[in-house]
Amino acid sequence: RRPLPNQQQEKQQQNQQIVRYNVQNVVNAAGAHCQNLLNTLTGNDTSIHPIPVEPRKRCVFFFHCATHQQDPDAIVPHVAPLTVCPVSNAYFRSEGLVTDPSSGQPPTGNFLCGVSPSREEDRAIDDLDHLDFVDHHLWEDVLWPALYHRVPAFGEVKVKSSWAGVYEYNTIDQNAIIDFHPEIPNLLLLNGFSGHGLQQS
């Protein structure tokens, strides 16, 4: 197929004016909305091979764990690297300032956690209004039981805040895409990095 024209790139702005750009290459790094950008660049040409990345909703919870436990065997981690439960896929890590265990100071007890929805519930979102609310049932039904199973001290926790955001999900293998589009030789794709982008940078 023809590459994107390198002398008359067009972008439709909100004021309906056309702006033309002279470019040699285009980089699509539009995250979860990379297909929308591809549609704009190709004029919604449905014959162009789509990008297998779609926006999916993910929720994150910030919780505090009681640092003085009634059970002496329930140890609150001072520092927790990113830890993933192999059974539930729930993850958690310490958040914010951490204290040195050798200092004698108690741990801060602050952690972040999250988990992907079940396969039946996990699907692309077509309306960003879905991000206006957090799926708190994930905390009650999946996260808290999984965390408590791995760290008994997490039996005494309180969710301090939570939020929902968009995850750029590669529907083929959940890995990042770094390559030129197979039909548009001057369009570089950098998509599907959610979940491991920083770790692979």
Side-chain angles (χ1 to χ4, degrees):
R1 301 189 67 89
R2 272 190 324 171
L4 294 172
N6 62 1
Q7 295 188 358
Q8 290 191 347
Q9 287 290 334
E10 298 185 355
K11 176 184 176 184
Q12 186 95 31
Q13 294 185 328
Q14 291 183 353
N15 60 6
Q16 301 302 312
Q17 293 180 349
I18 299 295
V19 179
R20 300 177 187 274
Y21 296 97
N22 295 323
V23 298
Q24 294 296 322
N25 295 289
V26 175
V27 177
N28 184 339
H33 307 288
C34 56
Q35 183 60 43
N36 293 343
L37 178 57
L38 180 64
N39 293 341
T40 299
L41 294 172
T42 62
N44 291 308
D45 185 349
T46 57
S47 67
I48 298 292
H49 191 77
I51 304 173
V53 173
E54 61 187 24
R56 297 199 178 185
K57 181 179 179 179
R58 292 293 182 267
C59 301
V60 178
F61 300 84
F62 171 65
F63 69 93
H64 178 76
C65 174
T67 55
H68 299 286
Q69 296 281 321
Q70 296 179 357
D71 182 356
D73 295 328
I75 301 174
V76 181
H78 277 76
V79 180
L82 179 61
T83 306
V84 182
C85 172
V87 177
S88 65
N89 289 324
Y91 69 85
F92 72 92
R93 65 169 175 82
S94 49
E95 171 68 1
L97 295 175
V98 296
T99 56
D100 184 350
S102 63
S103 68
Q105 297 180 342
T108 61
N110 295 325
F111 299 88
L112 283 180
C113 69
V115 69
S116 298
S118 66
R119 185 169 298 182
E120 295 75 25
E121 295 179 338
D122 192 16
R123 53 187 175 273
I125 59 173
D126 53 8
D127 188 347
L128 293 182
D129 288 344
H130 289 287
L131 304 181
D132 291 343
F133 59 90
V134 174
D135 297 329
H136 289 285
H137 71 88
L138 290 174
W139 168 261
E140 296 289 344
D141 299 339
V142 182
L143 279 167
W144 194 12
L147 296 175
Y148 175 62
H149 177 71
R150 295 291 165 182
V151 183
F154 287 166
E156 299 181 42
V157 298
K158 182 177 182 180
V159 175
K160 294 290 188 177
S161 63
S162 57
W163 58 94
V166 171
Y167 191 97
E168 48 180 314
Y169 187 89
N170 182 338
T171 59
I172 295 178
D173 60 8
Q174 292 81 64
N175 284 311
I177 298 172
I178 307 176
D179 203 352
F180 286 93
H181 192 284
E183 298 171 286
I184 309 174
N186 66 332
L187 176 61
L188 178 62
L189 306 178
L190 300 175
N191 309 117
F193 281 88
S194 285
H196 41 246
L198 182 61
Q199 299 171 60
Q200 294 181 347
S201 65

